[in-house]
Amino acid sequence: MRVKSEAGKQPLPGASVTVSPLNKGTSTDSTGLAVLTGLPDGAFQVEISFVGYSAVQKRLTLPVTKIIEVELEEAEGEDNPNIIVTATRTDRSIRNTPTRVEVIAGGEISENVSMRPGEIKMLLNETTGLITQQTSAVSNTANLRIQELEGRYTQVLRDGFPLYSGLSEGLSLVQIAPLDLKQVEIIKGSSSTLFGGGAIAGLINLVSKTPTEKRDLSFLANATSAGGFDLSGFYGQRFKNIGVTVFGSRNSGKAYDPSSTGFTAIPKFERYTITPRLFYYGNKTNLNAGVNFITEERLGGNMDYIKNNNAGYFEKNNSVRFTTQVGITHQINTHVSLNFKNSYNHFGRLTTIPSYQFDGLQQSSFSELSINAGENNLQWVGGVNLYTDKFSEVLHSNHPLRNYNYNTVGSFVQNTWSPTDKFSLESGLRGDYTSPYGFVLLPRVSALFRFSNRFTSRIGGGLGYKLPTIFTEESEERQFQNILPIDQNSAQYEKSIGANVDFTYSTSLDELKLSINPLFFYTRINHPLVLSSQGMQKAFVNVDGYTDSKGMDLSFRLTLDDIKFYTGYSYTIAQNHFGGQTATYPLAPKHKLHFDLVYEVDGSLRIALETYYTSQQQLADGSTGRSYWLTGALIEKSWKHFSLFINGEDLNNVKQTDWGAIYSGPITIPRFKDLYAPLEGRIINGGVKIKL
């Protein structure tokens, strides 16, 4: 059997070819050829899959007398069960992955590009069980929460590389543009076994576009009623053994105060991004290498200070990010491949408020050597990795420096066993030695039960951990002022245990497709790191007790011809259990509801209507935030080479400032309250996309 791409008719080396009923499988060689021997005569179902392409199933009658040609098309569409995922390290389709993975792809990413072309905050916030928590009332910084647990417990990756933790956490969601994303993979629950520490609540893997034989050249221009302006472009193409992608953007915004509070709901900012990547495809060895450069100046605070340079409160965030990524895959034979990955991250950030500056540089690196072996019914992945994380602070006052230097050496092994097409088991074990916090052992297991073609279930669980740093939502809210360094002699890493079970029922009748997916989850963090007062200053200490999050996510998807309807509901109870007392976890709404109705004629017209509901939530000061509804709408008309779009967010103009002041004290030295609802209110944006 020879496997090729449908678009360019190019061979696809490393594609999986599996005869599930016989537990037989192999991979294609550099010419796209797969040879299976020792098969009995008869008719069998064969599945062919490759990362980034939709898997296909083909019924073959053996023996065959000639080479069978199979063409795969690129995976598109968020409801495609054959999308190949990489976050589990096995490159399987969602349908055949024991670990529960949610994927944002195709139309959802395209829709978000039209709504927020300069950031991914809205893209993630629309996913059931995820919420973006704003950490500054005037700078619009934000962290990502999974199942209501604080943002530091979520690991964000780029193509499997840990690039967005620590000092950059509050800025990453508002600095990453979606135009060069192919898909976003989400795993909820403890996942540190997969890529190391940090994934206590779960992980997000941002998967970049890769070159295709058909040229991909696109541009976007967007403007908003709040004074925002976005320009971005992407180019990708493969030329036989060489491929290239380039992404660049300029994003800017004016200071915006829709409620006349005197403070910015959206800060003044200007950001530039450039990301070139080079790909090499050899007979047995593939290589990709790239760099990413982002520089941004962000200024929020008193409008009079920003516009007229008069005295007033302000927050300046000047940041520079430079990262490198290298990946090499060598195919030893049809069943074994050797992989090497390396990344380096350089992130500098200067935060300035009146009478205080926080100035630091985080340098981190990740190196991994791994081996993939086996057939599709029995796959092994094992490897070793080194992760370094160094933070250096520039002294601007007599405050103690918050420097640290962590080194983590880890090894892992993972097995995926599929004895029948009705059952798959994925188990893994990781051991990390962290300096200076010692050794941690992390087991993980997931199982897939396919009761029928319509009804499946997954159950899984594992351990996670997080090294202590000062980079949390609470520190961001204080611009790191009066935060003491971590006491490495008394602090210990946070460790968690989590489990989840889900059920999926899917059916179709002609053009009608229905999918229902409830997920039940529980995560517990033992001896969590909390901020404790020590006089005028605050220090992070491990408390006696635990934090837990439990509940249910429910997804309902209905498709009829060109109409798609989606409903997502989250029910979450997050609590702190400290010193024998139980308290509600701050800023964790118990109920969230999302409705999304889309009418889409492929390549011609898209109309989308969205509604969100967020219930009341406990605030840190003991008060309760109000419940609220948000609505939005998008219209996009497309032609062969360009499209025009107009989008409205928060059309009912909900703002937290309408329900009371968001700060106390004088306007020159404000003390901001917890943020649980939007500040910017109704915003209209529109623009043009060009595809050549």
Side-chain angles (χ1 to χ4, degrees), residues 275-288:
T275 306
R277 296 180 69 192
L278 179 68
F279 298 77
Y280 170 75
Y281 307 92
N283 290 330
K284 292 187 175 182
T285 303
N286 294 341
L287 177 147
N288 71 83

Side-chain angles (χ1 to χ4, degrees), residues 404-481:
Y404 67 79
N405 190 1
Y406 296 159
N407 298 302
T408 302
V409 179
S411 61
F412 64 91
V413 62
Q414 179 174 292
N415 170 261
T416 306
W417 177 50
S418 304
T420 73
D421 60 350
K422 302 292 186 182
F423 174 75
S424 293
L425 181 69
E426 191 167 84
S427 55
L429 183 67
R430 169 180 285 274
D432 278 0
Y433 179 80
T434 66
S435 174
Y437 293 101
F439 183 76
V440 58
L441 190 66
L442 304 166
R444 169 181 169 268
V445 64
S446 299
L448 166 64
F449 302 89
R450 182 171 290 111
F451 302 107
S452 68
N453 288 333
R454 296 180 179 179
F455 184 51
T456 60
S457 177
R458 290 175 173 85
I459 183 170
L463 303 184
Y465 80 102
K466 171 68 175 177
L467 293 178
T469 73
I470 66 167
F471 302 118
T472 70
E473 291 177 8
E474 293 174 296
S475 298
E476 284 275 351
E477 291 168 1
R478 293 168 169 80
Q479 293 77 46
F480 307 99
Q481 189 175 18

Side-chain angles (χ1 to χ4, degrees), residues 7 9 26 28 146 150 173 201 229 259 279 298 334 367 400 407 416 452 480 496 510 517 540 551 617 621 648 652 654:
K9 315 299 181 186
T26 187
T28 57
I146 294 180
E150 194 175 321
L173 296 184
F229 187 64
S259 300
F279 298 77
R298 179 175 289 255
T334 55
S367 300
N407 298 302
T416 306
S452 68
F480 307 99
S496 72
D510 296 328
N517 179 216
F540 285 99
Q617 50 195 292
D621 61 5
N652 48 331
V654 172

Side-chain angles (χ1 to χ4, degrees), residues 165-224:
S165 63
L167 180 62
S168 65
E169 282 183 3
L171 291 171
S172 293
L173 296 184
V174 295
Q175 289 187 340
I176 302 171
L179 186 63
D180 67 334
L181 290 181
K182 184 177 183 64
Q183 63 191 43
V184 179
E185 301 167 352
I186 303 164
I187 300 178
K188 298 172 182 175
S190 297
S191 307
S192 293
T193 303
L194 290 169
F195 292 95
I200 281 179
L203 69 83
I204 310 293
N205 187 32
L206 308 175
V207 182
S208 305
K209 290 181 180 179
T210 55
T212 57
E213 290 83 3
K214 183 180 179 180
R215 182 184 66 185
D216 183 357
L217 179 60
S218 55
F219 301 94
L220 178 143
N222 174 72
T224 79

Side-chain angles (χ1 to χ4, degrees), residues 98 100 447 455-460 500-504 517-520:
R100 186 182 190 272
F455 184 51
T456 60
S457 177
R458 290 175 173 85
I459 183 170
N500 58 65
V501 58
D502 83 323
F503 303 91
T504 302
N517 179 216
L519 165 72
F520 302 90

Side-chain angles (χ1 to χ4, degrees), residues 92-112:
R92 287 186 165 211
S93 66
I94 298 177
R95 181 177 183 272
N96 295 317
T97 301
T99 299
R100 186 182 190 272
V101 184
E102 299 176 45
V103 174
I104 305 172
E108 282 189 275
I109 289 184
S110 176
E111 185 177 322
N112 187 79

Side-chain angles (χ1 to χ4, degrees), residues 388-596:
T388 68
D389 183 11
K390 180 181 180 181
F391 174 70
S392 304
E393 185 178 358
V394 178
L395 186 63
H396 288 285
S397 66
N398 58 0
H399 193 279
L401 294 174
R402 277 69 62 95
N403 298 348
Y404 67 79
N405 190 1
Y406 296 159
N407 298 302
T408 302
V409 179
S411 61
F412 64 91
V413 62
Q414 179 174 292
N415 170 261
T416 306
W417 177 50
S418 304
T420 73
D421 60 350
K422 302 292 186 182
F423 174 75
S424 293
L425 181 69
E426 191 167 84
S427 55
L429 183 67
R430 169 180 285 274
D432 278 0
Y433 179 80
T434 66
S435 174
Y437 293 101
F439 183 76
V440 58
L441 190 66
L442 304 166
R444 169 181 169 268
V445 64
S446 299
L448 166 64
F449 302 89
R450 182 171 290 111
F451 302 107
S452 68
N453 288 333
R454 296 180 179 179
F455 184 51
T456 60
S457 177
R458 290 175 173 85
I459 183 170
L463 303 184
Y465 80 102
K466 171 68 175 177
L467 293 178
T469 73
I470 66 167
F471 302 118
T472 70
E473 291 177 8
E474 293 174 296
S475 298
E476 284 275 351
E477 291 168 1
R478 293 168 169 80
Q479 293 77 46
F480 307 99
Q481 189 175 18
N482 296 321
I483 304 293
L484 292 171
I486 300 292
D487 185 352
Q488 296 182 0
N489 294 319
S490 61
Q492 55 183 295
Y493 55 74
E494 300 170 274
K495 195 171 183 179
S496 72
I497 182 170
N500 58 65
V501 58
D502 83 323
F503 303 91
T504 302
Y505 177 78
S506 301
T507 187
S508 61
L509 179 63
D510 296 328
E511 296 300 320
L512 178 66
K513 297 179 181 179
L514 170 68
S515 176
I516 303 174
N517 179 216
L519 165 72
F520 302 90
F521 62 87
Y522 178 78
T523 300
R524 170 171 169 157
I525 307 168
N526 293 313
H527 305 295
L529 206 65
V530 302
L531 202 56
S532 175
S533 296
Q534 295 187 2
M536 296 295 294
Q537 298 180 320
K538 292 183 177 293
F540 285 99
V541 297
N542 295 95
V543 297
D544 182 20
Y546 64 94
T547 296
D548 67 357
S549 173
K550 53 185 175 288
M552 177 190 74
D553 292 346
L554 176 64
S555 299
F556 175 89
R557 190 182 299 274
L558 182 67
T559 302
L560 177 61
D561 293 325
D562 299 325
I563 300 175
K564 297 179 181 179
F565 175 73
Y566 170 81
T567 296
Y569 169 69
S570 295
Y571 174 78
T572 307
I573 299 177
Q575 295 174 317
N576 290 323
H577 306 267
F578 301 157
Q581 302 293 319
T582 297
T584 301
Y585 200 75
L587 296 169
K590 184 177 292 187
H591 306 280
K592 285 186 66 68
L593 187 61
H594 174 207
F595 297 101
D596 192 355

Side-chain angles (χ1 to χ4, degrees), residues 200-276:
I200 281 179
L203 69 83
I204 310 293
N205 187 32
L206 308 175
V207 182
S208 305
K209 290 181 180 179
T210 55
T212 57
E213 290 83 3
K214 183 180 179 180
R215 182 184 66 185
D216 183 357
L217 179 60
S218 55
F219 301 94
L220 178 143
N222 174 72
T224 79
S225 60
F229 187 64
D230 305 281
L231 286 174
S232 56
F234 175 82
Y235 168 71
Q237 193 167 5
R238 177 174 172 176
F239 307 92
K240 294 185 178 178
N241 293 339
I242 298 294
V244 64
T245 64
V246 180
F247 170 75
S249 69
R250 179 193 180 277
N251 310 96
S252 63
K254 297 180 180 179
Y256 183 60
D257 175 21
S259 300
S260 301
T261 63
F263 290 108
T264 55
I266 298 177
K268 176 184 178 182
F269 71 93
E270 188 170 0
R271 179 173 65 253
Y272 295 89
T273 303
I274 182 69
T275 306

